[in-house]
Amino acid sequence: TDAADLMLIMGTSLYVGPVNMLPDMVSGVPRILINRERAGSIGSRKEDVMLLGDIEAEAKAIMKALDGENESINLTDVYLTVSATFARQDEGGS
């Protein structure tokens, strides 16, 4: 876990062990949950990011934010981009 920049968790309830213990083994880096609902302890740490909604749409929004033109990625910008995308979808936009 010392070499990890972040932990990406997608599409899981985190109910089944021993895999459900992996997110709690990582410390000091963002744990990003892309899921329809909260899972496990994700969201309990200040560096956690929860992107709740349709997984495919969330992943597409992240890929759009990471368009390859930037050498460094700001996770806050990615989160805001994804959040704005879902706010528009909730309002009936695209």
Side-chain angles (χ1 to χ4, degrees), residues 72-84:
S72 63
I73 301 304
N74 182 327
L75 289 176
T76 302
D77 291 343
V78 172
Y79 176 76
L80 292 175
T81 299
V82 172
S83 296

Side-chain angles (χ1 to χ4, degrees), residues 23-73:
D24 293 326
M25 297 172 73
V26 176
S27 62
V29 298
R31 301 180 304 171
I32 302 174
L33 174 68
I34 302 175
N35 214 15
R36 291 193 181 276
E37 57 192 28
R38 287 187 70 145
S41 65
I42 309 302
S44 63
R45 300 179 188 171
K46 66 179 180 174
E47 65 268 12
D48 287 349
V49 176
M50 293 189 303
L51 304 173
L52 303 180
D54 180 71
I55 296 169
E56 183 177 354
E58 294 280 4
K60 285 180 180 179
I62 290 172
M63 293 306 297
K64 186 175 180 180
L66 305 175
D67 62 9
E69 295 178 9
N70 301 316
E71 289 185 25
S72 63
I73 301 304

